[in-house]
Amino acid sequence: MSEPRRSELGARSPGPRAVPAAAAAAAPDTSESQWIIPAKNYASTRYSTLDQITASNVGQLKLAFSFSTGVNRGHEAAPLVVGNTMYIVTPFPNLLYALDLTQPGAPLKWTYKPDPASASQGVACCDLVNRGASYFDGKIIYNTLDAHTVAVDASTGKEVWRTKVGDINQGESTTMAPLVVKGKVLVGNSGGEFGIRGWLTALDGKTGKLVWRAYTTGPDKDVLIGPNFKPFYPSDQGKDLGVSSWPGSAWKIGGGGVWGWISYDPELDLIYYGTANPGPWNPDVRPGDNKWTAGIFARRPETGEAIWAYQWSPHDLYDYDGINEQLLLDLPVNGQTRKVLVRPERDGYVYVLDRATGQVLSADPFGYITTTAGIDLKTGRPKQVEEKRPQTGKVVRGICPAAPGVKDWQPSSFSPRTGLIYIPHQNLCEDEEGTQADYIAGTPYVAAIVKMYPGPGGHRGEVTAWDPVARRAAWVVKERFPVWSGTVVTAGDVVFYGTMDGWFKALDAKDGRELWRFKAGSGIIGQPISYRGPDGKQYVAVLSGVGGWAGAVVAGGLDVRDSSAALGFVNAMKDLPQVTTKGGMLYVFALP
Amino acid sequence: MSSRCPERRWVLGAVALWAVTLGGCERERRGFHDRVPGTPALSMVRQSDLQPGPRTADAAVPSPYDDNAYAVSEGKRLFNQYNCSGCHFQGGGGIGPPLMDAEWIYGSEPQNIFATIVEGRPNGMPSFRHRIPDQQVWQLVAYVRSMSGLLAKDVAPGRSDDMQVTAQEQQTTKEHPVKSAVPPSTQRP
Amino acid sequence: MTTLADSVAWIGGHSVHVPDGPVALLLDRLGDYMYAVSAVLWVLVTAALLWAVFRRRAEGEDPNDPARERRMQRTVTLAVAASAAILFVFLFLSYDTSRAMTGRPAGEPLQIRVTGHQWWWEVEYRDSLPQHWATTANEIHVPVGRPVVFDFRSSDVNHSFWVPQLGGKRDLIPGQETSLWFRADTAGVYRGQCAEFCGYQHAKMAFEVIAEPPPRFAEWLVQQRDTAATPTDSLAQRGQLVFVTSPCVMCHSISGTTAGSRIGPDLTHIASRRTIAAGTLLNTQGNLFAWITDPQGLKPGTRMPATQLGPKDLAAVVAYLETLR
């Protein structure tokens, strides 16, 4: 699909390299000029085939236009470009803006206001973010914080349908970007800190009617586990494990939300998505493997039927949500090409799974880890370090990585030209004490006091270029703050990402050399994209507006004298209010 | 006091000392059967200083526990057990706004805080009506006020049973409450 | 109001002198040994003292006779040596008893976790299958003849676990795990009590150990693992609704409902328990009414607040609680 310029790269990495899963990398967006879902394609590579902007000319990149969203919370969404229109979803109150790219300065075409329930702000664990929309069949489809999914006519801005998918009084909210596969809108809930019961739901793309719902916990019939369910590891095999791996009825409030990323392989006809942490954080009150939280499911998109599942963190001890993105690649493993799923995971390992069976082929650390001593490839289970296990009434120190993991939701990108995965992540450790777990519906169910701080080296963020074939980092760029934005990589061999102190940066995809930077008004935690405008030029767009869990100290105006504020993240971000303020602005760049 | 009569001076000193210790009785009183003032009528919870014409005086709603260390420590226990700390943490905020700073979105007076807990607030604060009995709400009110140093130092809690994450309420310097407008619904506290 | 004292036929009561089970027997025996030896010694010493008081010096006896001096020296040395030896025997015996009490018992013991709260006991029956965990409060069922290993925690201040007829005391210390085992050899109800001053209602922090034949115990445990019964009659149904929409829900758990707080005792099977309020009152309808209406009158300072329910709601809640077998 891209013009191969292998001579440049051939000298550096002559061996076999990873390529994106062909069918998944093409669908659903066959046009290279658009950007119609946050991950760019079903393989979730966030790779733009545009190559006007290159490592040699990116230094001349200039601001083309900007747009203020009027909302001051964390902007985690990716803008979408469909045809000649750009769509932007803001954090709560989840406004949808359409900008006309054919006009100079991209003026506003229309605004859609979903008016989500104001009270939903009280059940959003980590700022009031939204991770973006998806385009499907003439509609922009996205979730509002108050657990509704809306479809808006892409040309008129009129609401086509709206479906209530969850209940904020039970702690449910929706922050993830839906994905549309075979006409089914896939939506999951957030609220692992509120004692929710996680699910992934498919809505009919035309009508918004519920087609199926697959719970993360509970009996097999609720989890949509049937006769075709063939997990790879024996510990995942058995009847109603989603009940028997919990005490009493704890599975009903056991968390395992689905607030991250979904990938789809059209050849195997499987969707892949991760499940979030079990609740509460304090593991004392939920003995057992707590299936199927902190894991991954492969399902049929039409029926939701589970085909295989695997748990990254059985009986999760540290809020290691398993919701990160999965890059679908075809990778040479031991001399033969395997269809794999690559997952830079919260617990600090880059997992390579056979995406047909769920077998873990390798798991290599890409950050500093004290909580586990590797992954046992025979059983698929992490080797827990006993003295780092959090307990009620005891302070355990030096837990690395901290609760946000080595990498959180912020998506990475993959370039078939370099064969590297560009992982934005953090370098944090924490101290934790478990407390008494009182479930009171609609209020937080965490039962832990946490205090985070920078990991070894003192820097809090990194961008790691990971070679999935050699199973090691090709290069690492250190950042002062966690890199809470996504990355995007282009065929011009440039990697873009933003920092929480407001810099939008371009790196050389081959060696990580910084080529260009721009200072935005507020810290950047959004997902950059690249598209070709109606004028034929390549553009790069990103939303600035600090917030999210990492930036809650600024977005929520928190008090840094309390180290446990924002689930302990504030302690690691005490200096952020000195370098950036709230904001909400779209920046779009092009060559002059 | 005459220096020629030292005994009298001692007696007076002892009486004064005894009188001082009496103050401690109120501080440590355990009112298990307290009849606390009920829910303040909404008319008593003013949200604005602006009033057409001269401002009418407000009826004062007494806060029963601002001088009672036992009730404040009960408030601290309930603050953690009823998951207030789940959103406000130990005063620094997170899901909800910070409580240890000088900014009081809905007012710093005891009746304002009482109304916030019982009625809830539009931007995410749940209503605990019919969930928390009035006496416990007043204990919470007293504790919340202690977080920003609004209570006397001998009444505010001096230690915490859990991991140290903030200076104790007793050491918090008094924040002079700032009255700020009710934020628009698009902008959460 | 019916109180425990006038209605329950105690099996042995609350006395260390009516031991049941090997640990209590060991303790009792140690006590008996020490008592017997001390009693004999007391008699001997008292006799010696009396002899010394009433003895008169014989005619012509020389106070400075070196032979007499030597004799006295021998006697004192012998007495000191005997005392030391007896104390060493005591030391050894108490060491041996402590060791027998704290070591792990032979066989496959039952594991129970007990957490002390002001002022009640949380009791968890653990199992390798998490689904089989069961939680109760203030009432510990044990199978007759099988050793039971307790591990103790405290959520607030120091408490001490003590069932005089079954075993020794063990402190429950915040931030520290302690443990103890005993075995009940006769079926029956044994009273236990907090034995370390822990605040205002320390005296009313009691519990019961109910020793049952193993089959009956197994039956009880299976029943305790269940989620709560769904009420069928309309009054109890209303009671459930009142429960989850009133202050009750802030502190108590009823498995299978949205009530999941651990501040107060788990009420999933409250109707199956003999007492309420940590052994303060018998679990009768009248006592439930009284307790919910005025807990501070019955147990001043208890964490349970008066709930201000109307008479109809109160009746409904009590009816509901009585269905939670």
Side-chain angles (χ1 to χ4, degrees):
Chain A
M1 29 181 255
S2 69
E3 181 197 351
R5 270 192 258 159
R6 297 198 186 278
S7 55
E8 266 176 47
L9 292 157
R12 204 184 56 82
S13 51
R17 75 155 66 99
V19 294
D29 180 12
T30 47
S31 152
E32 64 177 30
S33 64
Q34 307 190 108
W35 196 285
I36 71 166
I37 61 170
K40 174 69 180 166
N41 48 43
Y42 282 152
S44 303
T45 59
R46 290 166 203 270
Y47 170 71
S48 167
T49 51
L50 302 172
D51 58 2
Q52 279 179 19
I53 299 168
T54 65
S56 52
N57 65 19
V58 67
Q60 300 155 36
L61 215 54
K62 290 280 179 304
L63 187 66
F65 62 90
S66 62
F67 174 79
S68 171
T69 65
V71 180
N72 270 341
R73 304 301 292 229
H75 285 60
E76 287 189 351
L80 296 186
V81 174
V82 183
N84 293 329
T85 310
M86 177 182 282
Y87 301 92
I88 300 161
V89 182
T90 71
F92 180 88
N94 305 124
L95 308 175
L96 176 66
Y97 295 110
L99 306 181
D100 184 354
L101 298 176
T102 59
Q103 306 281 324
L108 186 62
K109 269 166 85 171
W110 48 257
T111 306
Y112 167 72
K113 291 182 180 170
D115 292 322
S118 203
S120 62
Q121 297 168 92
V123 291
C125 82
C126 316
D127 201 8
L128 313 175
V129 298
N130 185 290
R131 298 189 182 85
S134 282
Y135 172 81
F136 168 70
D137 191 27
K139 294 180 281 285
I140 300 293
I141 300 171
Y142 69 100
N143 296 316
T144 57
L145 190 64
D146 62 347
H148 284 73
T149 305
V150 293
V152 180
D153 187 298
S155 52
T156 64
K158 296 274 175 296
E159 188 176 294
V160 182
W161 52 258
R162 176 196 283 247
T163 303
K164 185 187 179 198
V165 290
D167 179 8
I168 59 169
N169 286 333
Q170 301 301 329
E172 288 180 308
S173 56
T174 42
T175 57
M176 55 93 77
L179 183 74
V180 188
V181 174
K182 291 181 152 182
K184 308 281 182 299
V185 182
L186 303 172
V187 179
N189 60 354
S190 309
E193 282 64 47
F194 285 84
I196 57 137
R197 183 182 175 199
W199 44 254
L200 181 76
T201 288
L203 306 175
D204 185 281
K206 290 213 166 22
T207 62
K209 294 234 156 46
L210 192 138
V211 182
W212 53 260
R213 170 165 290 187
Y215 284 98
T216 304
T217 65
D220 285 353
K221 69 171 169 41
D222 290 5
V223 189
L224 302 188
I225 285 177
N228 295 322
F229 182 63
K230 302 239 161 19
F232 188 84
Y233 296 100
S235 61
D236 296 326
Q237 295 159 2
K239 201 177 167 318
D240 291 330
L241 295 180
V243 172
S244 62
S245 61
W246 293 89
S249 56
W251 54 270
K252 288 182 180 167
I253 51 169
V258 182
W259 57 270
W261 302 108
I262 309 169
S263 297
Y264 172 59
D265 183 338
E267 278 177 7
L268 294 171
D269 194 29
L270 289 175
I271 54 164
Y272 305 96
Y273 70 92
T275 58
N277 61 292
W281 285 19
N282 183 349
D284 273 358
V285 294
R286 46 170 177 82
D289 276 355
N290 308 138
K291 289 183 185 316
W292 299 87
T293 60
I296 182 173
F297 273 108
R299 293 183 186 276
R300 296 274 176 240
E302 266 147 344
T303 59
E305 184 188 21
I307 301 302
W308 59 260
Y310 167 73
Q311 275 185 300
W312 317 104
S313 303
H315 186 58
D316 166 52
L317 300 172
Y318 311 100
D319 180 42
Y320 290 165
D321 297 55
I323 53 79
N324 292 1
E325 73 286 358
Q326 35 275 318
L327 299 112
L328 309 186
L329 307 177
D330 291 343
L331 198 73
V333 177
N334 300 331
Q336 64 186 127
T337 301
R338 299 282 291 262
K339 286 177 185 296
V340 304
L341 170 163
V342 181
R343 170 71 97 94
E345 183 49 33
R346 199 114 156 202
D347 63 4
Y349 298 89
V350 178
Y351 285 79
V352 177
L353 265 63
D354 183 318
R355 67 175 181 269
T357 64
Q359 181 191 5
V360 180
L361 301 175
S362 65
D364 303 288
F366 69 108
Y368 181 65
I369 303 170
T370 63
T371 52
T372 52
I375 309 298
D376 183 344
L377 293 185
K378 277 208 187 70
T379 61
R381 296 174 79 91
K383 299 170 194 159
Q384 299 288 0
V385 174
E386 197 52 38
E387 62 264 32
K388 297 294 180 191
R389 176 185 294 268
Q391 286 182 44
T392 307
K394 271 191 186 168
V395 182
V396 178
R397 301 193 190 274
I399 293 173
C400 309
V406 170
K407 180 186 164 299
D408 204 288
W409 74 280
Q410 63 271 43
S412 40
S413 54
F414 169 78
S415 167
R417 291 170 49 81
T418 59
L420 299 177
I421 299 168
Y422 303 93
I423 309 171
H425 62 101
Q426 54 271 357
N427 174 39
L428 297 171
C429 297
E430 71 180 20
D431 298 344
E432 178 172 345
E433 181 195 341
T435 59
Q436 180 174 290
D438 300 319
Y439 174 76
I440 299 169
T443 71
Y445 188 44
V446 172
I449 304 173
V450 173
K451 186 168 141 182
M452 297 180 207
Y453 43 85
H459 60 287
R460 284 158 276 179
E462 285 177 0
V463 175
T464 297
W466 185 264
D467 185 335
V469 177
R471 292 164 52 186
R472 59 176 169 75
W475 48 260
V476 177
V477 171
K478 292 176 181 172
E479 287 287 351
R480 178 179 170 190
F481 294 106
V483 184
W484 208 253
S485 90
T487 65
V488 68
V489 59
T490 70
D493 289 335
V494 186
V495 180
F496 292 95
Y497 71 99
T499 67
M500 292 188 72
D501 48 353
W503 289 102
F504 189 51
K505 295 185 178 179
L507 304 183
D508 189 317
K510 281 168 281 181
D511 54 19
R513 200 160 38 94
E514 186 177 315
L515 304 170
W516 172 84
R517 60 159 74 183
F518 174 88
K519 183 71 168 72
S522 174
I524 298 171
I525 57 163
Q527 306 162 48
I529 65 160
S530 184
Y531 66 96
R532 182 157 57 212
D535 56 0
K537 282 168 81 171
Q538 182 186 357
Y539 291 86
V540 177
V542 72
L543 283 163
S544 121
V546 82
W549 189 6
V553 60
V554 173
L558 308 185
D559 197 311
V560 299
R561 288 173 294 174
D562 176 3
S563 304
S564 69
L567 294 156
F569 220 138
V570 160
N571 193 53
M573 305 300 286
K574 285 185 168 169
D575 50 345
L576 189 66
Q578 295 156 21
V579 296
T580 191
T581 56
K582 299 182 204 188
M585 187 76 103
L586 168 80
Y587 294 92
V588 180
F589 304 91
L591 292 171
Chain B
M1 267 177 281
S2 157
S3 58
R4 280 169 298 171
C5 187
E7 298 83 3
R8 199 171 151 225
R9 203 168 55 186
W10 282 112
V11 169
L12 274 176
V15 168
L17 203 68
W18 175 75
V20 165
T21 55
L22 273 187
C25 296
E26 187 54 36
R27 181 186 170 274
E28 285 299 336
R29 196 176 57 81
R30 302 191 172 201
F32 301 140
H33 284 95
D34 279 359
R35 289 180 160 274
V36 292
T39 313
L42 278 178
S43 61
M44 296 174 184
V45 184
R46 188 193 288 272
Q47 288 292 322
S48 172
D49 282 336
L50 194 60
Q51 196 167 22
R55 223 186 111 160
T56 43
D58 295 334
V61 178
S63 173
Y65 295 132
D66 269 11
D67 52 2
N68 186 279
Y70 171 73
V72 177
S73 76
E74 282 292 282
K76 180 171 175 138
R77 176 178 68 81
L78 295 171
F79 184 84
N80 287 298
Q81 292 189 338
Y82 285 170
N83 289 348
C84 308
S85 58
C87 286
H88 300 285
F89 296 89
Q90 299 305 309
I95 297 161
L99 300 176
M100 67 202 294
D101 62 5
E103 199 176 324
W104 292 86
I105 299 160
Y106 301 106
S108 66
E109 294 301 314
Q111 68 265 34
N112 298 135
I113 303 168
F114 186 97
T116 298
I117 297 171
V118 174
E119 311 296 339
R121 296 295 182 186
N123 292 315
M125 174 74 193
S127 160
F128 287 93
R129 180 181 281 281
H130 301 310
R131 295 295 188 280
I132 306 181
D134 288 351
Q135 185 181 14
Q136 292 189 336
V137 176
W138 283 116
Q139 291 172 341
L140 283 164
V141 167
Y143 175 63
V144 167
R145 282 166 58 80
S146 82
M147 292 176 117
S148 53
L150 296 181
L151 300 191
K153 286 207 184 306
D154 64 337
V155 175
R159 60 178 276 273
S160 179
D161 289 340
D162 295 302
M163 186 165 84
Q164 185 85 19
V165 287
T166 157
Q168 288 316 307
E169 294 81 357
Q170 215 166 56
Q171 288 141 30
T172 309
T173 41
K174 184 172 178 177
E175 303 281 350
H176 294 282
V178 177
K179 278 190 182 156
S180 50
V182 176
S185 63
T186 53
Q187 211 186 323
R188 200 174 68 127
Chain C
M1 193 157 307
T2 342
T3 58
L4 279 174
D6 48 54
S7 66
V8 179
W10 290 103
I11 296 178
H14 184 83
S15 165
V16 284
H17 296 302
V18 194
D20 185 272
V23 178
L25 209 63
L26 275 172
L27 270 175
D28 188 47
R29 204 174 290 157
L30 178 70
D32 287 351
Y33 277 140
M34 286 186 173
Y35 181 81
V37 173
S38 303
V40 170
L41 285 177
W42 183 80
V43 169
L44 288 177
V45 168
T46 308
L49 186 74
L50 287 175
W51 178 77
V53 168
F54 292 110
R55 174 186 177 267
R56 292 173 147 221
R57 195 175 291 155
E59 288 286 319
E61 198 177 300
D62 179 10
N64 299 322
D65 177 10
R68 184 174 166 275
E69 196 60 29
R70 272 198 301 279
R71 236 174 20 246
M72 279 169 70
Q73 212 168 22
R74 257 204 314 274
T75 312
V76 169
T77 311
L78 212 67
V80 168
S83 304
I86 288 164
L87 285 174
F88 265 102
V89 169
F90 279 6
L91 181 72
F92 175 77
L93 284 175
S94 72
Y95 168 79
D96 197 49
T97 307
S98 298
R99 220 168 73 124
M101 283 166 55
T102 49
R104 285 194 70 84
E108 207 176 296
L110 178 74
Q111 294 274 354
I112 301 176
R113 171 171 292 185
V114 174
T115 308
H117 299 271
Q118 282 176 322
W119 290 275
W120 61 282
W121 307 86
E122 185 181 356
V123 184
E124 290 170 287
Y125 289 78
R126 310 204 146 196
D127 192 282
S128 55
L129 189 67
Q131 214 7 240
H132 282 174
W133 280 34
T135 305
T136 180
N138 305 322
E139 186 168 301
I140 303 172
H141 285 239
V142 297
V144 169
R146 183 173 169 195
V148 185
V149 174
F150 294 91
D151 67 302
F152 298 120
R153 275 136 215 266
S154 169
S155 72
D156 36 48
V157 299
N158 285 6
H159 301 278
S160 188
F161 179 92
W162 186 36
V163 192
Q165 282 172 264
L166 294 176
K169 288 177 195 157
R170 186 66 76 227
D171 281 3
L172 286 66
I173 303 163
Q176 197 175 316
E177 289 149 44
T178 51
S179 94
L180 177 84
W181 77 273
F182 63 57
R183 193 179 78 203
D185 286 338
T186 315
V189 181
Y190 303 88
R191 189 172 182 278
Q193 166 69 36
C194 180
E196 174 76 51
F197 181 71
C198 60
Y200 213 84
Q201 281 302 335
H202 160 66
K204 285 183 180 165
M205 185 170 166
F207 59 98
E208 285 184 352
V209 173
I210 299 178
E212 296 168 315
R216 239 181 98 188
F217 168 76
E219 212 172 284
W220 174 85
L221 190 57
V222 166
Q223 179 230 341
Q224 296 291 312
R225 284 169 184 164
D226 265 357
T227 52
T230 316
T232 45
D233 73 292
S234 61
L235 187 63
Q237 275 167 352
R238 175 176 167 173
Q240 187 181 39
L241 185 70
V242 172
F243 190 95
V244 297
T245 55
S246 71
C248 314
V249 77
M250 297 297 288
C251 296
H252 293 286
S253 289
I254 294 180
S255 176
T257 73
T258 53
S261 184
R262 291 159 209 263
I263 299 166
D266 188 303
L267 303 181
T268 309
H269 298 288
I270 184 175
S272 75
R273 303 208 279 258
R274 283 168 35 91
T275 69
I276 56 171
T280 306
L281 298 167
L282 268 183
N283 188 4
T284 63
Q285 192 184 53
N287 283 346
L288 277 171
F289 270 105
W291 176 249
I292 297 169
T293 311
D294 188 19
Q296 297 295 334
L298 294 162
K299 199 169 167 179
T302 177
R303 303 294 200 210
M304 170 120 165
T307 38
Q308 299 159 337
L309 293 174
K312 280 183 179 166
D313 286 348
L314 181 65
V317 164
V318 171
Y320 173 54
L321 293 178
E322 289 192 312
T323 66
L324 300 176
R325 295 237 120 245

